[in-house]
Amino acid sequence: MAAKKRNSSIDDEPVVEVPAAETNDSPKPPKKKTKKDKSNNDSDEPQEQVAAASDGSVKPMERKKKRKALDKERRRTAADTEPKLPEPSTSAAQAQPVDSPGTSSGGGSQLPEFHIGVFKDLAVAAEPAREAAAKQLVTELKAVQSAYDALDEKEVGDGGFKLEAEKDDGLDDCAPSVRYAVRRLIRGVSSSRECARQGFALGLTLLVGAVRKIRVESFLKLVVDLLEVTSSMKGQEAKDCLLGRLFAYGALARSGRLTQEWTIDKNTSCIREFVSVIISLANKKRYLQEPAVSIILDLTEKLPVEALLNHVVEAPGMKEWFDAAMEVGNPDALLLALKLREKISIDNSAFVKLLPNPFSSSLLFSTDQLSSLSNCLKESTFCQPRVHGVWPVLVTILLPNTIMQEEDVAAASNSLKKHKKSRKSSSYDEETAKNLQSFCEIIIEGSLLLSSHDRKHLAFDVLFLLLQKLSASLVPIILSSKVVQCLMDILSTKNTWLYKVAQHFLKQLSDWVGDDDVRRVAVIVALQKHSNGKFDNITRTKAVKDFMSHFKTEAGCLLFVQSLMNLFVDEGSASEEPSDQSQTTDENSEIGSVDDKDSPRSNGNSDFLKSWIIESLPSILKHLKLGHEEKFRVQKEIMKFLAVQGLFTASLGSEVTSFELQEKFRWPKSPTSNALCKMCVEQLQLLLANAQKGEGSRASASSLEPNDLGLYFMKFFSTLCNIPSVSLFRTLDDEDDKAVKKLQAIEAKLSREERSHGLSAEANRLHALRYLLIQLLLQVLLQPGEYSEAASELIICCKKAFSSCDLPDSSGDDDLEADDAPELMDVLVDTLLSLLPQSSAPMRSSIEQVFKYFCNDITDDGLMRMLRVIKKNLKPARHPDATSAEDSDGDDGDDFINIEEEDIDQAETGETGETDEQTDDSDSVVEAEENDQGHPEASDDSDSGMDDDAMFRIDTYLAQIFKEKKNQAGGETAHSQLVLFKLRILSLLEIFLHENPGKPQVLMVYSNLARAFVNPHTAEVSEQLGQRIWGILQRQIFKAKDYPRGEGVQLSTLEPLLERNLKLASKPLKKQKSASNPSKKSASWNRQKMVSSLAQTSTFWLLKIIDARNFSESELQRVVDIFQEVLAGYFDSKKSQIKSGFLKEIFRRRPWIGHAVFGFILERCGSSKSDFRRVEALDLVMEILKSLVTLSSDNQNAAKKVLKSNLDKLCNLMKDLVTNMPSKQARRSEVQKFCIKTFEILTKLNLTKSFIKALAPDVQAALEAQLGEQFINLKQLGK
């Protein structure tokens, strides 16, 4: 037991420290040490030092021998003097008090008990258990010491003994238990087991503070003696001893004894000695410096200023440590110097090489001082991932006051106020900004960001510390160009460990912003300004986008708009100009100095950044959820900026003040490029279109100031046009200039007329036309020379649509001839179609709005002009070779719905189409038949059905598509442009169908869209076009809430459509010949299935329309004939692929069709040559029979009449079935089931007797042979 090593458990200390009277363990023979045991040298162990204290030898082996001999003698003496007692249990031995008196010949006093088991609890992981053990330890030892002090004779008795702690350790006045506890606690703080170091340090702190008999000088000497580091120690052993000293000194500092010593004696040397020892310890290892300084700082918090000046600052080695700090890079010395300087508040020569003298924040953050301190600060990375304590101290000195969010909001609101001089910042704010600028440039950018990855990490940590106390106005200083560039470099490469650091910084930045729009604006502007508007693109993140999507208040949006406007005109680098520089009227508006205009920009922003600003301004409205009035105010500010920067330029200078609008307008000092002006106009168009779509304030249209952005824009545009020093960004020719003025005039008239109508359908028409005029005006400015003619045509439409309005007179060219004037809607449709090919998205939106409110009045001619474009195809002239003729002739019977293959004049379009291998020349034949029947609604729009002007207009639309592309090679561009034009027209047709689902014109639209969809050329040119047509047919026609009704729906129109759909449903699916490409084969197969599905759905829809008209039986005879033709092909031709399930569904939905063709099906079913067809047709017969049974009681007679009239045919069918039974068992089973179910239906209708009579005897015999008892029962019922 006595030979245990020091590395064993702290609680299992060697037996030599326990009184011999309290143990019955006999000494065990020492074990021979292994080589590994010898490596753990015990020469520095405290218990061995105590055991050999009386011996002057320093050899470990000699001390060990003497210790063993002494232990053996003590055990023998204790065994002789103590009476034999029963052997105690283990728990009792642990709880045995240390200071229990032994047997004394002279008698003696008994000291209180001290339970040695508390040492074990000091090392447990649970903090409450450690605290309880420490309190128990101190309580018991205080009681022991008090009792010990009361003893007259300090010896326990002649036969008593003292603990090992009675060596000359300076604790002579302490009780043996206290001496033992102090030594054991000091040894315990060097243990790395579990939480021993924390628990023993806590016990030591409380004990030293509670027992005054423990002298400070003796404690310091004992720490050095017990935790001596020798050269024979290995690295971990030496580290444990050094850390043990550190914890022991920390316990002394926190105990308060040093403060008590100074209070008793102002000249005490304890504090100086203590500080000197700690400084000496800190110099031994780098990892000891930071905790050593922490201990000194704990002490300084308990000492007054006088003690700090005379004892701490003047401690031996302190000045030398400070002097060497800058050279070696010691951040802990700098931290201590800053904290001591803050505490004593006076300059001292000890800090002269670290801190400025005299000390001030401006001098501390001066360029020279920061440059000298940079070496110290760079070395603070050793404690990562923690941030060294010197940084929070520097940040507190740099930003002493935490900026509250309310202050940022107040500052932002002041910045939004116009026509007021901005107040000069206070000297304090200027000094703070200057110090922060210097700190960021020298330390962050000049030292940390240019160094290792660890120091870059530290830089972002320090920046976040600054953010916590930073005003939003100072964000541009810390998010400087170099910081943002470093952030982008890191985030653009994911394979570095700094990537997560940068991501974490962005997350911290986002958390700091929170819901504060002022901070949000500052961060967005800083990131985009220094990344040239490409932060998200370069970093492949959505940081800026996410920041922009969280604006929730009007004030925040307006601040963001104002900040971007300032960034666009580069206000940040321009000096502030006097606000009273230009106080003139609009006719003589202020012009800036010519010198300013000609001077180069000091910090110009690139066009890419400006383009981001232009695109971002309207985009903030996307996620904004504000009331109509608040949103309108934000839209106004954005609109004014886009209009000013995109449409106008200042003739002189870069500033213009308008007193009518009470605003000052600024332009960049360098001219804005045409590309940026064009972008501004395009975004302005988009803003107006979105405002028109999202207008929820039409209910207040009659108010004094309606929230009409278009109205406000036109007034704003007119006002700026009247300022002499402001001109349009490009010069217009006479024709465009006249068009702009006419558009302004007509829009103003329509605006007044709209307000006079209040809330009505007419007001909606006027409103839609006004916005189209505004879009057209912007388009004239954007593309001179291209839209003036369309503007004139639209003005004509406005005059004709609202002829009662007081509209401005037009020139003679625009006068309408009353006799030859076409319909208004025809002219309007022509105008809209002429605008569609090259229109922008906002223009198309306005066109759709106009069409929506006028489509109720559209004519068949206007509708057909739109449908003609959908069917137009680009292909070369056909060559009359025999092969193509044969192919075309062979496809005549397979045509679905008159698919027309019209050509576009190549000389007109300048394009050459690709060869279409699936062309179909059967159109003329089918169309001739259709025209002979006289069905104009369903007829195709052949060239002969339109006048020359109409044909010219249609071809003009298509020619306009390719006007800008005619010099390009190949036909791909022509096809893509035509597809785009078709898609835009389909949007208009979709609007028409949505607004007019019950009009007969829907049939015309359906017919032409179905032809376009079935046309193979549609799928070849564009899959998107086919999908769009399919979607319109399904959603807007087949699944619409209504369907064509009224007298306008003629049966002669529906019959051809029904016939073609049934023929298409019967058309066999063609196998793809070129199976080399599986994807093409699959696409072709899917398309054929979609065409078949379209035919079936169309049939159901057409039959629903026919049923709704309640035609007479004679009128419906043609429909019955059509179904008979289809059924004839079903039975006679193997090529017919019509599904029996499809026919069954028709008979189920429309029973009258089944009843009409019942006899025909019975005849063909019996005579069918194919067993498969005959058996499959039995399902059709059974479906018709079921429909006869389910008729109401009123129609039972009619059902019987139908069945009686066809009873002979049914008997013949039975005969054919039973006399020619199919060879396959499954089909024979189907025949038997059919016969049995037929018998049941005949029984229900009381027609059994008639049926039996109609059967010939041979047929009855065959039925009896095949069906047996089933038929016998039927015969009995028929008797």
Side-chain angles (χ1 to χ4, degrees):
M1 294 289 292
K4 282 187 178 180
K5 293 192 297 180
R6 183 174 175 269
N7 289 339
S8 62
S9 163
I10 295 298
D11 304 308
D12 300 329
E13 291 290 335
V15 179
V16 295
E17 295 184 352
V18 183
E22 299 175 13
T23 180
N24 293 325
D25 294 341
S26 59
K28 297 180 181 180
K31 295 181 181 180
K32 186 176 181 181
K33 280 192 175 182
T34 63
K35 185 175 181 181
K36 181 178 180 180
D37 296 332
K38 290 181 181 180
S39 65
N40 296 328
N41 197 321
D42 296 331
S43 62
D44 62 314
E45 295 179 359
Q47 62 269 34
E48 294 171 3
Q49 291 177 359
V50 176
S54 59
D55 197 302
S57 176
V58 294
K59 294 181 179 181
M61 292 302 297
E62 293 181 1
R63 289 203 305 271
K64 189 173 182 181
K65 290 179 181 179
K66 291 181 180 180
R67 185 194 67 188
K68 288 182 177 180
L70 180 61
D71 290 344
K72 186 174 181 181
E73 181 64 23
R74 285 179 177 174
R75 291 177 185 276
R76 185 184 63 78
T77 304
D80 294 342
T81 57
E82 186 174 357
K84 299 293 182 179
L85 296 174
E87 185 176 351
S89 63
T90 305
S91 59
Q94 287 183 350
Q96 182 70 26
V98 173
D99 286 288
S100 297
T103 302
S104 177
S105 60
S109 301
Q110 183 177 0
L111 294 177
E113 295 181 347
F114 168 54
H115 297 87
I116 198 171
V118 297
F119 288 107
K120 182 177 181 180
D121 294 336
L122 287 176
V124 298
E127 185 176 354
R130 296 200 304 269
E131 293 178 355
K135 290 180 181 178
Q136 180 184 354
L137 171 77
V138 174
T139 302
E140 292 182 1
L141 289 178
K142 283 179 66 177
V144 170
Q145 183 63 39
S146 298
Y148 183 79
D149 291 340
L151 291 178
D152 295 334
E153 184 179 357
K154 304 302 180 183
E155 297 291 340
V156 177
D158 295 338
F161 66 91
K162 295 182 180 181
L163 295 175
E164 182 187 11
E166 66 179 331
K167 304 295 187 296
D168 184 15
D169 52 11
L171 303 177
D172 298 337
D173 296 335
C174 297
S177 297
V178 175
R179 299 173 69 181
Y180 166 76
V182 170
R183 300 173 70 90
R184 182 164 180 177
L185 289 172
I186 292 175
R187 289 195 298 269
V189 294
S190 67
S191 173
S192 59
R193 185 178 69 86
E194 205 170 5
C195 296
R197 195 167 275 138
Q198 293 92 320
F200 279 72
L202 175 62
L204 194 59
T205 301
L206 298 178
L207 182 60
V208 174
V211 180
R212 297 293 305 280
K213 294 295 184 178
I214 303 174
R215 293 183 300 167
V216 175
E217 297 86 350
S218 301
F219 180 87
L220 294 175
K221 180 177 180 299
L222 201 59
V223 169
V224 175
D225 292 342
L226 294 180
L227 301 179
E228 179 183 5
V229 179
T230 64
S231 59
S232 61
M233 286 185 177
K234 288 194 174 182
Q236 185 59 42
E237 292 178 312
K239 183 177 182 179
D240 287 340
C241 287
L242 292 175
L243 290 176
R245 288 191 189 182
L246 194 67
F247 273 77
Y249 294 146
L252 177 60
R254 294 186 178 185
S255 68
R257 283 294 304 277
L258 294 173
T259 305
Q260 296 174 6
E261 294 293 331
W262 182 84
T263 304
I264 296 172
D265 182 10
K266 299 291 190 300
N267 297 321
T268 181
S269 62
C270 295
I271 298 177
R272 290 190 180 187
E273 182 181 355
F274 175 78
V275 174
S276 178
V277 169
I278 291 183
I279 295 297
S280 175
L281 180 65
N283 285 328
K284 292 183 180 296
K285 295 291 181 181
R286 182 59 179 269
Y287 60 82
L288 297 174
Q289 289 183 0
E290 187 180 15
V293 169
S294 177
I295 292 172
I296 297 176
L297 292 177
D298 284 344
L299 177 62
T300 59
E301 295 297 326
K302 303 179 185 300
L303 293 175
V305 175
E306 181 183 353
L308 296 178
L309 283 171
N310 298 330
H311 295 268
V312 177
V313 177
E314 300 298 332
M318 179 69 80
K319 187 176 186 305
E320 292 77 5
W321 198 51
F322 285 150
D323 291 344
M326 194 174 297
E327 181 179 352
V328 300
N330 188 347
D332 302 294
L334 176 60
L335 172 62
L336 182 59
L338 289 171
K339 298 295 285 186
L340 288 176
R341 176 60 184 74
E342 178 187 2
K343 187 76 175 178
I344 63 179
S345 300
I346 59 175
D347 296 320
N348 191 285
S349 59
F351 315 135
V352 70
K353 288 193 175 182
L354 270 180
L355 304 179
N357 193 359
F359 182 86
S360 68
S361 60
S362 58
L363 292 177
L364 177 64
F365 294 105
S366 64
T367 302
D368 294 339
Q369 186 66 29
L370 287 176
S371 299
S372 61
L373 294 179
S374 62
N375 190 34
C376 292
L377 297 176
K378 284 194 296 186
E379 297 300 323
S380 65
T381 55
F382 68 87
C383 61
Q384 280 186 345
R386 292 184 302 104
V387 178
H388 194 277
V390 71
W391 295 105
V393 174
L394 287 173
V395 169
T396 302
I397 299 173
L398 184 60
L399 303 170
N401 299 322
T402 301
I403 303 297
M404 303 303 294
Q405 182 174 345
E406 292 77 8
E407 298 178 27
D408 278 342
V409 174
S413 62
N414 289 334
S415 68
L416 291 175
K417 294 180 181 179
K418 300 178 180 180
H419 304 295
K420 291 185 178 180
K421 293 183 179 181
S422 57
R423 297 181 178 179
K424 293 287 185 180
S425 302
S426 64
S427 58
Y428 174 80
D429 294 337
E430 291 179 353
E431 181 182 352
T432 300
K434 180 181 178 182
N435 292 343
L436 181 62
Q437 182 81 30
S438 179
F439 178 79
C440 290
E441 288 180 354
I442 297 173
I443 302 300
I444 301 296
E445 300 171 12
S447 297
L448 299 181
L449 291 183
L450 299 180
S451 190
S452 64
H453 282 12
D454 286 334
R455 289 170 182 167
K456 287 185 175 71
H457 184 185
L458 176 62
F460 290 118
D461 290 337
V462 175
L463 288 175
F464 182 68
L465 287 178
L466 291 171
L467 282 175
Q468 305 304 308
K469 309 182 73 174
L470 197 68
S471 167
S473 61
L474 299 178
V475 167
I477 297 178
I478 66 168
L479 292 182
S480 62
S481 176
K482 292 183 179 179
V483 171
V484 174
Q485 189 63 47
C486 178
L487 195 60
M488 290 192 299
D489 291 343
I490 296 172
L491 290 173
S492 62
T493 308
K494 289 187 176 182
N495 57 357
T496 62
W497 71 271
L498 276 179
Y499 181 79
K500 290 186 176 181
V501 174
Q503 276 189 322
H504 182 64
F505 177 74
L506 279 182
K507 176 66 169 56
Q508 289 178 320
L509 193 62
S510 177
D511 294 339
W512 175 74
V513 169
D515 294 329
D516 188 346
D517 287 338
V518 182
R519 294 178 177 180
R520 189 185 321 282
V521 170
V523 170
I524 293 174
V525 171
L527 293 178
Q528 292 297 88
K529 179 180 180 180
H530 299 307
S531 65
N532 212 11
K534 303 177 183 179
F535 188 86
D536 281 355
N537 295 339
I538 295 175
T539 61
R540 294 189 288 274
T541 64
K542 296 182 179 179
V544 175
K545 185 177 179 181
D546 290 341
F547 279 127
M548 291 177 58
S549 65
H550 286 83
F551 281 105
K552 297 179 181 179
T553 63
E554 177 190 358
C557 290
L558 292 177
L559 176 63
F560 183 59
V561 171
Q562 186 65 43
S563 300
L564 292 189
M565 290 165 58
N566 294 339
L567 187 60
F568 188 90
V569 299
D570 204 15
E571 187 177 57
S573 62
S575 59
E576 183 179 351
E577 297 178 1
S579 60
D580 57 348
Q581 184 179 4
S582 56
Q583 302 295 331
T584 59
T585 62
D586 285 332
E587 294 301 325
N588 298 286
S589 296
E590 173 270 339
I591 54 177
S593 64
V594 179
D595 295 338
D596 288 344
K597 182 178 180 181
D598 296 334
S599 62
R601 297 166 61 185
S602 59
N603 185 24
N605 298 314
S606 71
D607 281 359
F608 196 94
L609 176 60
K610 290 185 176 181
S611 65
W612 172 82
I613 294 173
I614 295 169
E615 292 175 350
S616 298
L617 283 172
S619 67
I620 64 171
L621 298 168
K622 184 183 301 182
H623 304 285
L624 199 58
K625 296 181 180 179
L626 295 177
H628 298 305
E629 294 184 1
E630 292 84 357
K631 190 172 184 178
F632 179 67
R633 286 194 287 267
V634 177
Q635 288 175 329
K636 281 200 308 183
E637 293 301 317
I638 298 173
M639 182 276 297
K640 288 187 288 187
F641 169 77
L642 294 175
V644 169
Q645 303 300 331
L647 297 176
F648 299 98
T649 58
S651 302
L652 296 173
S654 60
E655 289 189 7
V656 172
T657 301
S658 169
F659 280 95
E660 181 178 341
L661 298 174
Q662 297 183 353
E663 289 189 64
K664 177 193 291 185
F665 303 107
R666 306 181 70 248
W667 285 266
K669 292 182 179 178
S670 60
T672 305
S673 65
N674 289 333
L676 289 178
C677 291
K678 181 179 179 181
M679 187 179 295
C680 284
V681 178
E682 291 172 348
Q683 291 297 320
L684 181 58
Q685 287 181 303
L686 183 61
L687 178 67
L688 290 168
N690 291 336
Q692 183 185 8
K693 289 179 182 178
E695 276 178 331
S697 57
R698 294 300 310 281
S700 61
S702 59
S703 60
L704 294 178
E705 293 185 1
N707 296 338
D708 189 339
L709 190 64
L711 176 63
Y712 188 86
F713 165 73
M714 293 303 291
K715 292 182 178 179
F716 183 82
F717 180 79
S718 178
T719 302
L720 262 66
C721 286
N722 293 330
I723 300 178
S725 58
V726 175
S727 59
L728 290 173
F729 76 104
R730 62 162 41 120
T731 304
L732 302 177
D733 57 22
D734 294 339
E735 190 174 350
D736 286 338
D737 188 53
K738 289 180 182 179
V740 169
K741 292 179 179 178
K742 288 180 182 179
L743 289 171
Q744 285 182 271
I746 195 72
E747 192 279 333
K749 296 291 184 180
L750 292 181
S751 177
R752 289 194 294 269
E753 188 68 19
E754 177 189 351
R755 300 193 61 181
S756 66
H757 280 79
L759 298 176
S760 63
E762 197 72 7
N764 290 334
R765 288 187 168 195
L766 289 162
H767 189 77
L769 273 176
R770 281 183 48 242
Y771 269 84
L772 181 55
L773 291 169
I774 295 171
Q775 293 287 353
L776 192 54
L777 182 146
L778 293 174
Q779 204 68 31
V780 170
L781 296 173
L782 198 59
Q783 296 177 334
E786 295 187 14
Y787 285 90
S788 56
E789 183 178 352
S792 301
E793 293 178 1
L794 187 58
I795 291 172
I796 294 173
C797 293
C798 293
K799 293 176 181 178
K800 190 169 183 180
F802 307 100
S803 57
S804 60
C805 304
D806 183 19
L807 298 180
D809 295 333
S810 59
S811 62
D813 297 337
D814 295 336
D815 288 339
L816 302 176
E817 299 179 8
D819 296 337
D820 300 332
E823 290 289 337
L824 166 65
M825 280 307 301
D826 292 343
V827 178
L828 183 59
V829 168
D830 288 341
T831 304
L832 298 181
L833 292 181
S834 66
L835 291 173
L836 272 181
Q838 300 297 329
S839 61
S840 60
M843 172 77 81
R844 292 196 300 273
S845 176
S846 296
I847 291 173
E848 291 171 3
Q849 289 294 317
V850 171
F851 187 80
K852 174 183 177 181
Y853 291 114
F854 283 88
C855 66
N856 293 335
D857 302 330
I858 194 170
T859 64
D860 291 349
D861 189 27
L863 202 55
M864 287 306 301
R865 287 172 188 161
M866 300 169 64
L867 293 169
R868 280 178 56 82
V869 179
I870 300 299
K871 297 191 301 178
K872 280 286 183 181
N873 293 321
L874 293 181
K875 50 178 66 72
R878 295 183 179 136
H879 301 286
D881 56 89
T883 304
S884 62
E886 291 175 2
D887 293 343
S888 297
D889 294 340
D891 289 341
D892 278 350
D894 295 336
D895 181 32
F896 166 53
I897 304 180
N898 249 1
I899 303 173
E900 200 170 271
E901 306 281 349
E902 298 186 23
D903 299 330
I904 295 179
D905 189 358
Q906 294 181 14
E908 189 175 348
T909 62
E911 295 288 338
T912 302
E914 297 177 351
T915 302
D916 185 11
E917 296 178 357
Q918 295 179 327
T919 57
D920 195 339
D921 289 333
S922 62
D923 307 273
S924 57
V925 177
V926 180
E927 181 163 30
E929 296 175 357
E930 183 178 343
N931 289 336
D932 290 341
Q933 295 170 356
H935 310 316
E937 291 85 352
S939 65
D940 210 41
D941 49 311
S942 62
D943 295 347
S944 60
M946 301 184 68
D947 56 20
D948 294 339
D949 292 338
M951 283 301 302
F952 176 76
R953 282 193 295 270
I954 291 294
D955 291 336
T956 302
Y957 306 150
L958 300 176
Q960 187 174 355
I961 297 176
F962 316 119
K963 183 171 63 175
E964 297 180 359
K965 306 289 183 179
K966 61 184 178 181
N967 293 327
Q968 297 184 9
E972 184 62 26
T973 301
H975 281 295
S976 61
Q977 291 294 315
L978 179 58
V979 168
L980 188 60
F981 188 34
K982 289 182 178 182
L983 290 172
R984 295 174 181 178
I985 292 181
L986 284 174
S987 298
L988 300 183
L989 291 173
E990 192 169 8
I991 293 172
F992 170 78
L993 293 171
H994 183 270
E995 297 294 324
N996 306 278
K999 283 193 172 185
Q1001 292 169 314
V1002 173
L1003 283 171
M1004 181 193 305
V1005 177
Y1006 155 74
S1007 173
N1008 287 272
L1009 291 183
R1011 297 176 190 192
F1013 179 77
V1014 176
N1015 187 349
H1017 188 79
T1018 302
E1020 289 179 358
V1021 172
S1022 172
E1023 182 181 355
Q1024 180 188 6
L1025 180 61
Q1027 292 293 337
R1028 183 70 184 280
I1029 295 175
W1030 171 266
I1032 293 175
L1033 288 170
Q1034 295 293 327
R1035 293 190 306 271
Q1036 303 298 336
I1037 296 181
F1038 300 143
K1039 297 179 182 179
K1041 295 181 180 179
D1042 202 355
Y1043 52 88
R1045 301 172 184 268
E1047 297 298 328
V1049 180
Q1050 300 295 326
L1051 188 58
S1052 58
T1053 304
L1054 299 169
E1055 289 169 354
L1057 296 174
L1058 179 62
E1059 182 178 6
R1060 295 184 199 120
N1061 278 287
L1062 288 173
K1063 286 183 178 179
L1064 181 63
S1066 305
K1067 186 176 181 180
L1069 300 180
K1070 295 181 180 180
K1071 293 184 179 180
Q1072 186 76 13
K1073 295 181 180 179
S1074 58
S1076 59
N1077 192 337
S1079 61
K1080 287 186 177 180
K1081 182 177 180 180
S1082 175
S1084 175
W1085 183 258
N1086 291 335
R1087 172 171 170 76
Q1088 291 185 63
K1089 290 194 293 185
M1090 290 179 68
V1091 170
S1092 178
S1093 175
L1094 172 65
Q1096 295 180 18
T1097 308
S1098 299
T1099 302
F1100 296 140
W1101 182 69
L1102 292 169
L1103 289 174
K1104 179 172 67 172
I1105 298 173
I1106 293 173
D1107 261 8
R1109 283 299 315 275
N1110 295 321
F1111 293 108
S1112 64
E1113 187 174 344
S1114 60
E1115 291 176 311
L1116 294 174
Q1117 185 57 43
R1118 174 56 187 159
V1119 175
V1120 176
D1121 294 341
I1122 292 173
F1123 274 96
Q1124 288 181 353
E1125 292 174 5
V1126 173
L1127 288 169
Y1130 173 72
F1131 285 109
D1132 299 339
S1133 175
K1134 292 183 179 180
K1135 292 184 178 180
S1136 177
Q1137 296 294 323
I1138 194 166
K1139 304 297 182 184
S1140 62
F1142 170 53
L1143 294 173
K1144 282 176 60 178
E1145 185 65 20
I1146 292 176
F1147 297 157
R1148 187 187 66 80
R1149 296 187 184 188
R1150 313 295 164 198
W1152 62 269
I1153 299 177
H1155 300 166
V1157 298
F1158 184 49
F1160 182 81
I1161 294 178
L1162 292 175
E1163 290 179 358
R1164 289 306 183 105
C1165 184
S1167 61
S1168 177
K1169 298 179 181 180
S1170 170
D1171 286 347
F1172 172 76
R1173 290 292 193 194
R1174 182 188 301 116
V1175 174
E1176 190 179 48
L1178 295 180
D1179 289 340
L1180 303 180
V1181 177
M1182 186 53 59
E1183 185 65 36
I1184 298 173
L1185 290 173
K1186 288 180 180 178
S1187 66
L1188 292 172
V1189 176
T1190 56
L1191 290 176
S1192 62
S1193 58
D1194 298 336
N1195 296 324
Q1196 284 293 330
N1197 293 330
K1200 289 183 178 181
K1201 184 179 179 181
V1202 172
L1203 198 52
K1204 280 184 178 181
S1205 63
N1206 294 286
L1207 204 55
D1208 293 338
K1209 296 178 181 178
L1210 182 60
C1211 292
N1212 292 333
L1213 175 61
M1214 289 287 187
K1215 175 184 176 182
D1216 294 333
L1217 290 174
V1218 296
T1219 56
N1220 299 302
M1221 288 293 285
S1223 58
K1224 292 186 177 180
Q1225 178 61 36
R1227 293 177 183 173
R1228 288 201 301 269
S1229 177
E1230 290 295 328
V1231 171
Q1232 292 172 356
K1233 289 179 181 179
F1234 169 75
C1235 294
I1236 293 171
K1237 289 182 180 179
T1238 303
F1239 295 159
E1240 294 174 357
I1241 292 173
L1242 291 172
T1243 303
K1244 289 180 181 179
L1245 295 175
N1246 297 322
L1247 294 175
T1248 306
K1249 187 175 182 179
S1250 301
F1251 177 69
I1252 296 297
K1253 288 182 179 181
L1255 289 174
D1258 58 336
V1259 178
Q1260 293 185 24
L1263 285 171
E1264 187 173 349
Q1266 293 293 337
L1267 303 178
E1269 187 178 351
Q1270 300 279 355
F1271 182 70
I1272 294 173
N1273 294 335
L1274 181 67
K1275 288 175 65 176
Q1276 292 176 354
L1277 291 174
K1279 291 182 179 180

